[in-house]
Each structure stands twice: as structure tokens, then as C-alpha cells.
Amino acid sequence: MKLVRYGARGAEKPGLIDAQGRLRDLSAHVRDIAGPVLADLSPLAALDPATLPLVEGNPRLGACVGNVGKFICIGLNYSDHAAESGMAVPPEPVIFAKYTSAICGPNDPILIPRGSEKTDWEVELGFVIGKTAKYVTEAEAMAHVAGYFVVNDVSERAYQTERSGQWSKGKSSDNFGPTGPWLVTADEVPEPNNLNMWLKVNGETMQSGSTATMVYQVPFLVSYLSQFFTLHPGDIISTGTPPGVGMGMKPPRYLKAGDVVELGIDGLGSQRQVCENDA
């Protein structure tokens, strides 16, 4: 299934994309695409999409997961991205938080923070927990994943690396977490560790890679994270980015108002954002 949330920000409704690519409403069946629903997707899987109301027009798409509890990110998870960042591949995954107030729809604008000169892009594979995970093994891990989606891990590099402290303040500005367009359920993504991914700025390809080159792949990440804290249904994890970010270019290149960012992952859809200066 391809599950979506659509409508005005803060008032999104649950929906489903049918085999013809049409949006259908799920409001009669679930309140939201969020933790309790993700813990048991079988009632939605049993529905005949043809019986669901069609949604007319082209409504705004919200983030494909609602009421997110934790937004966990993995840093330097592609060896070639680590190299372009001037950093070594870590002996264990780098974990940082992206605060949930950064989450927005896949086509909402990127808001460049006041005074920012180094706002950057990162196409990433995201996944959402569907079954509570605590001290799980790698062999058990995939049973705890509900589905996958595209994330743009928008980053302000000066805030992240030049102003001391943890990375989160450079990762969590408003609209720094475009998520979606769809949540593709795990049964439709048999090889999450072998997906092509891409990102363009103003039509120019900046990133072109594959999840196959991740250092730490999805089963390991679920198991690893669950050793430190419990993962709950609705928690989302963003798994890192391939090379081609603005920080790694010579000279570095960053986003400015009016730039258009497009990105996608095979089978998971695409996003499009126009950059704006934040008020």
C-alpha cells in the first residue's frame, strides 16, 4: 500500500494511493496514519481501494506519518559522503535527533533560517517503526518496520558544525524535514537496501546514489538503536545520504531563496520544494 496524509497543515486526513495513482480517502476507517494504525496494518490491507471515496483535485500532501514520537537520524552512513565531508566512517552509527517540529509535507517550501548562509540538501531513505522494538536482533529487525519513504534531511551547516554542541540545531529548523510523499508499506519494498536515489537543484543533478552503499543498513540500524532505547510505532528513522551535498562541493554551494529542490527514491515517489527566506 501507498499511504498518505493530505489536506491543510495540522488538519491532514488519511488516504491511500490506488493502483491507478488516484488518491482515496481513509477517514471512515482510521483517524490518522500514525502509531496505532502502523502497529497493525492488516485492516487497511483488507480494504478494496475501489470502495474508498475518490479525492478530487490536487490537495496538499502532508508528511506521510502523523504524530511522530521520535525522529532519529543516522550521520555519515555512506563512506563516500563521509569522505566528501572530511570525516572518517564511524566505527558505530552516528545518531542524532531531528526535532519533530521540523517535519513538513514533501512539497512544502524549504524555509531558509534568518541569517543562514549554508542551508544544504540531503536525500535519504526513511523508515517507520510499526512494532515496538527493544533489544531486538538483526534477524528479528525487519518485522518491526512498517514501511519506507523519502526524506530530505535539510541541514544548516554553520549551525551544525561551526557553532559547537550537537548537530541537532543545524538539522531542526522549521520545514527541515520534508517527509513523503507516501509511506510505502514494507511488503511492497522487498529490497530497501538496494534502492536508487537522486536529488536535483534547479534541474541539475547533485546526488545520485543507492541505498546499497549504506555502511549500516536497515536491519542493523533497527537492532542497534533498540539496544539504547525502545522504538515505538510511529518513530521514524532517516538513514543517511550519499555524496553530492553542497558542503562537499569545491567551492561549497548552498541554497538560496528561489532555488528548486527535487528528489526521489525508486518506488517511493518524489518531492519538490521551493526555497524561501523564513520570516
Side-chain angles (χ1 to χ4, degrees):
M1 293 180 290
K2 292 184 175 69
L3 302 174
V4 299
R5 300 170 68 250
Y6 70 95
R9 190 163 187 167
E12 290 92 346
K13 297 179 180 180
L16 177 150
I17 304 297
D18 68 17
Q20 289 73 43
R22 297 172 298 187
L23 174 58
R24 292 184 177 269
D25 183 66
L26 283 171
S27 299
H29 300 275
V30 294
R31 295 184 63 179
D32 200 358
I33 306 301
V37 171
L38 297 170
D40 182 9
L41 290 167
S42 59
L44 294 184
L47 296 173
D48 179 358
T51 66
L52 302 171
L54 278 169
V55 178
E56 301 297 334
N58 294 291
R60 169 190 173 272
L61 293 181
C64 58
V65 179
N67 196 29
V68 172
K70 293 191 284 292
F71 193 164
I72 305 161
C73 296
I74 308 300
L76 305 175
N77 198 22
Y78 289 72
S79 57
D80 36 12
H81 171 57
E84 74 172 350
S85 302
M87 302 179 188
V89 175
E92 296 187 34
V94 172
I95 304 170
F96 63 92
K98 201 173 180 83
Y99 300 127
T100 56
S101 56
I103 296 172
C104 64
N107 304 315
D108 291 343
I110 290 174
L111 300 178
I112 298 176
R114 189 178 298 177
S116 167
E117 296 181 351
K118 296 184 178 181
T119 296
D120 204 348
W121 57 83
E122 293 190 9
V123 59
E124 304 199 0
L125 172 69
F127 65 90
V128 62
I129 296 298
K131 178 184 176 184
T132 299
K134 184 174 183 178
Y135 302 130
V136 301
T137 66
E138 283 190 64
E140 301 165 329
M142 299 305 279
H144 296 263
V145 176
Y148 302 89
F149 43 84
V150 182
V151 174
N152 188 356
D153 178 18
V154 185
S155 308
E156 212 299 342
R157 301 303 188 185
Y159 300 175
Q160 178 188 355
T161 63
E162 298 173 21
R163 296 185 60 174
S164 78
Q166 299 182 354
W167 287 6
S168 294
K169 66 175 174 281
K171 296 284 191 170
S172 301
S173 296
D174 293 348
N175 283 31
F176 268 27
T179 303
W182 317 305
L183 165 59
V184 182
T185 52
D187 60 297
E188 294 195 6
V189 190
E191 295 291 341
N193 301 306
N194 189 24
L195 299 173
N196 293 322
M197 54 206 308
W198 57 272
L199 183 145
K200 299 179 180 181
V201 178
N202 300 328
E204 180 182 353
T205 298
M206 301 297 183
Q207 293 185 275
S208 179
S210 170
T211 60
T213 64
M214 287 195 295
V215 178
Y216 301 109
Q217 298 191 331
V218 174
F220 179 87
L221 291 174
V222 174
S223 176
Y224 182 82
L225 294 171
S226 78
Q227 309 306 310
F228 300 101
F229 42 79
T230 301
L231 299 171
H232 297 283
D235 288 348
I236 64 176
I237 294 93
S238 197
T239 59
T241 198
V245 301
M247 176 178 65
M249 295 184 173
K250 302 185 185 308
R253 177 172 170 179
Y254 297 110
L255 296 170
K256 62 185 184 302
D259 285 345
V260 178
V261 181
E262 299 168 283
L263 59 148
I265 299 177
D266 284 359
L268 304 183
S270 60
Q271 304 182 354
R272 182 182 187 275
Q273 298 116 23
V274 179
C275 297
E276 300 177 2
N277 291 324
D278 201 2

